[in-house]
Structure formats: structure tokens, C-alpha cells
Amino acid sequence: MKTRIIDIESLDEAGEKELQAVAALIKNGETVVFPTETVYGLGANAFDPEAVKKIFVAKGRPNDNPLIVHISEIAQVEPLVAEIPKKAIKLMEVFWPGPLTLIMKKSARIPDEVSAGLDTVGIRFPDHPIARAFIKMSGCPIAAPSANRSGRPSPTQGKHVLEDLDGRVAAIILSADTEIGLESTVIDMTVEPPVVLRPGDVTVAELREVLGEVAVSSNVTKNVVPEKVSSPGMKYTHYSPKGEMVVVKGTKKEISEKINNAVARYRGKPMTVGILASDETMGCYHEGFIISLGSQKDPREMAKNLFSRLRTFDELGVERIFAEDIPLNNETLALINRLYKAAGYTFI
Ligand code: TXA
Ligand code: MG
């Protein structure tokens, strides 16, 4: 498939015209990649089951994972759901447009291809001028997972999308690097108290400020709370770099000692080793590909960089990656969740 590629930095007259042309492809049942403030999304008309099927083909996997439906104004929610819980309205008022996906009971208008057979649907109103304009021009809600090939880190830069999906979708809208760099917070509003299923830039503390009680899925906490680290053998294929990655735990001093000892064992061997460090700790290492996630003082910068750094290790042909652990708090939960997943929950 020949992919139409457009590059839009701002929504001037020329940009709008190009956007109109690719929005027409959505109306025709085609797939289009578009930027959002979290990661790039691979979109199709959420009301068109055949179009939605093309998303799974382009991503390269039989996917029984439900898709998030993207809208460009709050009024679009009503026909998509059976009912809007009061608490969901509160969250929409505070966090939309933004990196928050609300799971609600779906209406009959949502095809099974979107909800993967569940009776619920995830809805998000993204806060990105191009995403908003694009959805509006398309004239329909857009179902979109992250625009990566199955098992690859989510794309935060146009070049990641081209690597993964050029030739596999009808069009790609390129723009600046995505601001947040991790996928949206997902919260299930069909249960009481609501449960965070996936942590993201909207933090658990922020959600509690608005709603009071909010639970966090044990799928998130069990792997992050230090005493309850699950077995390394567990199979997780999300966000994996090609190299084998392990998270290194301990005090600052222990971490750098463990990494230096581990790296030394590869000396003279044909194995390419990488270290995922921070601005503050890069100087502790002297061998292998040493890459900083950013400053420890700025967890949002580190979050923004994570997926692109994992892809950089791939480009460098790194086969073994040692990633420094990151102290857990409200602001780092999402970052740690993705880091541990990328490492398949293996730790030393
Ligand atoms: O930031 C984002 O959310 C990005 C951009 C493109 O908006 N999208 C994204 O989509 O990350 P995806 O498909 O890669 O991840 C969607 C997540 C999955 O973990 C899926 O299981 C969950 O949301 N999800 C979607 N609908 C759901 C539902 N009805 N019930 C439970 N979980 C749901
Ligand atoms: Mg994804």
C-alpha cells in the first residue's frame, strides 16, 4: 500500500487543506495515523467495523484488546455510551481535553470490533490541535490504538511511525514529537470506586482530588510495589526493545556498582551492552552505550523520552540493557509501569 505522508507543524490554511484530504480517507473506511499529546494513534472510523479491522492488520497482530474511541467534543460521548456516570462528568470537566480515557458501558452503536466483545468502551478527548481538528473534520469518532507495530514501543516521534507503519496505512500525519510520551491514564468508571487500569500523565492523586476514593488495579500495583515483584518468567510482550532488558534495583550506589559489575562481565565478548541512566548518573558509567532518560528532577521529561530511548537502543543493536530503577511516587508511577513492562518485570 502506498502511504500518503503529510507533515503539519501548525494549522495554517495549507495545513488545514491537507488535513481535510486525509480526513476524507477516514470517511472512506481507511486508516490514518495522527499525532496526539500522548503518543501517535492509528485511527479508523469507530462506527465502521471493516475499517476497524484494518487497524489490527496494520499493527500486525490478532488483537483481542479493545480500542479507545477518540472524540473532539464532549457532546459526542452520549451516543457512544449506555449512560454517563456522574463521576465521569466530573472527570471530563476537569481533565478533558487531555490524557485521560474513561471506560463506560457502551451503546449499541459501538461495534464489537472496537470493544473486543466487552460491554464497555474507552473514550478519550485528546488535547492536541491537530488531533482535534482531524477528528472533527472526519465527522465521526475515531477508534485508535497506539500507532506502533505489535510489541514495539509506542511511537512518540514521526520517524517511529514511519519505521513501523509506512506502507501499512492509507496516510500518516507527521508533526512535532508528542508532548507527554506515555499513553493516557485509563480509568474504569463502571465500578465503584472507579479503578485506574493504566497509569498515565493524569495521576492517581489528581483523580482522587476530584473523585475522592479511586482504586488502582492490582495489575499496576503488584509489579511496582517493591516487596511484591512477580516472577521474571512472566510473559509480557508490550513495549519491548529488541535487546534483553533488566531493571537494576538498590540504593544509588548499589545500582551503579551492580551495573558496572554486570557490564564488566561482557568485556571482550561480542555482546553489545546498553545502560539506561539519568543526567545525574551517566558519569558513573564508562563502557557500553550509555543513554540518559533525562534529569531525575523532571520525571515528566523522563516519561517523554522513555519510548524513544528504547528505540535508540534497538538502532544501536544493543543486545543487553541495564536500566536504573526509578524511585516510586505519584509522579513516577506511569513511567515505572512502562519501564518495568519493557523489562518484562525482570530485576537484579
Ligand atoms: O494515549 C493513548 O491512550 C493512546 C492514544 C493514541 O490515544 N492510545 C492507546 O491505545 O494507548 P492502546 O490501544 O495502545 O491502549 C488502549 C488501552 C489498552 O490497555 C486497553 O486494554 C485499554 O486501553 N482499554 C480500551 N478499552 C477498554 C475497555 N473497554 N475496558 C478495559 N480496558 C480498555
Ligand atoms: Mg498500545
Side-chain angles (χ1 to χ4, degrees):
M1 184 189 299
K2 174 96 179 94
T3 298
R4 174 168 183 168
I5 295 166
I6 64 171
D7 197 332
I8 304 183
E9 291 308 320
S10 68
L11 279 175
D12 52 15
E13 210 176 304
E16 286 219 8
K17 216 168 150 207
E18 289 202 283
L19 209 51
Q20 288 282 6
V22 287
L25 293 171
I26 290 282
K27 287 182 200 155
N28 286 336
E30 295 296 337
T31 49
V32 176
V33 175
F34 61 101
T36 84
E37 77 279 27
T38 56
V39 300
Y40 278 83
L42 165 49
N45 180 351
F47 291 146
D48 180 345
E50 292 311 312
V52 171
K53 281 184 196 159
K54 291 181 184 172
I55 292 175
F56 297 118
V57 175
K59 281 190 68 110
R61 62 168 175 185
N63 198 336
D64 50 3
N65 226 359
L67 303 180
I68 293 171
V69 175
H70 297 70
I71 56 173
S72 58
E73 52 184 314
I74 290 181
Q76 276 179 293
V77 175
E78 212 195 308
L80 304 177
V81 299
E83 57 163 347
I84 309 179
K86 281 206 178 67
K87 288 187 176 181
I89 294 172
K90 277 191 179 173
L91 294 183
M92 291 173 198
E93 282 167 356
V94 177
F95 298 109
W96 276 6
L100 180 67
T101 297
L102 304 177
I103 309 288
M104 292 175 272
K105 290 268 182 232
K106 72 167 194 151
S107 75
R109 292 213 65 187
I110 300 288
D112 280 343
E113 284 74 8
V114 170
S115 57
L118 300 176
D119 62 353
T120 55
V121 62
I123 303 180
R124 180 163 106 80
F125 177 177
D127 186 18
H128 188 293
I130 293 172
R132 291 171 66 169
F134 173 63
I135 298 164
K136 198 164 178 207
M137 288 174 189
S138 300
C140 59
I142 294 185
S146 50
N148 50 288
R149 289 272 282 167
S150 169
R152 301 273 289 147
S154 294
T156 59
Q157 301 177 3
K159 69 170 186 178
H160 304 155
V161 176
L162 294 175
E163 274 164 26
D164 281 18
L165 294 174
D166 190 8
R168 306 186 65 86
V169 292
I172 294 174
I173 306 167
L174 299 176
S175 192
D177 297 354
T178 61
E179 268 303 307
I180 292 172
L182 299 182
E183 308 88 342
S184 62
T185 305
V186 177
I187 183 166
D188 184 353
M189 303 306 296
T190 68
V191 288
E192 188 49 46
V195 181
V196 172
L197 301 179
R198 179 174 74 182
D201 190 65
V202 173
T203 67
V204 175
E206 286 175 313
L207 293 166
R208 285 184 179 147
E209 242 171 68
V210 178
L211 296 185
E213 202 183 345
V214 171
V216 181
S217 164
S218 63
N219 286 330
V220 176
T221 54
K222 74 181 175 203
N223 297 302
V224 169
V225 179
E227 306 79 58
K228 293 187 188 166
V229 166
S230 53
S231 85
M234 281 173 78
K235 282 272 172 289
Y236 289 89
T237 52
H238 275 303
Y239 316 114
S240 302
K242 289 176 190 146
E244 200 180 307
M245 179 159 146
V246 63
V247 173
V248 184
K249 288 180 166 280
T251 61
K252 269 186 185 166
K253 188 156 169 281
E254 285 164 354
I255 291 175
S256 58
E257 277 174 10
K258 277 189 197 175
I259 293 180
N260 279 320
N261 288 337
V263 171
R265 285 199 287 275
Y266 290 96
R267 218 175 273 155
K269 296 193 179 137
M271 178 81 97
T272 316
V273 179
I275 300 168
L276 190 59
S278 64
D279 291 354
E280 288 84 357
T281 57
M282 279 183 87
C284 301
Y285 309 110
H286 309 286
E287 303 172 78
F289 288 105
I290 305 152
I291 295 183
S292 172
L293 252 194
S295 169
Q296 289 175 2
K297 295 190 199 94
D298 189 353
R300 298 183 94 203
E301 183 200 356
M302 295 177 106
K304 178 175 176 165
N305 290 333
L306 177 66
F307 290 143
S308 76
R309 297 296 188 266
L310 296 181
R311 283 182 184 251
T312 302
F313 281 125
D314 285 352
E315 283 160 24
L316 293 167
V318 169
E319 293 154 283
R320 194 90 172 93
I321 302 165
F322 297 94
E324 293 181 339
D325 195 16
I326 292 165
L328 175 64
N329 58 50
N330 180 58
E331 270 71 43
T332 58
L333 177 65
L335 170 62
I336 290 173
N337 172 264
R338 306 311 193 279
L339 180 72
Y340 288 8
K341 273 192 181 186
Y345 302 102
T346 55
F347 305 97
I348 58 171

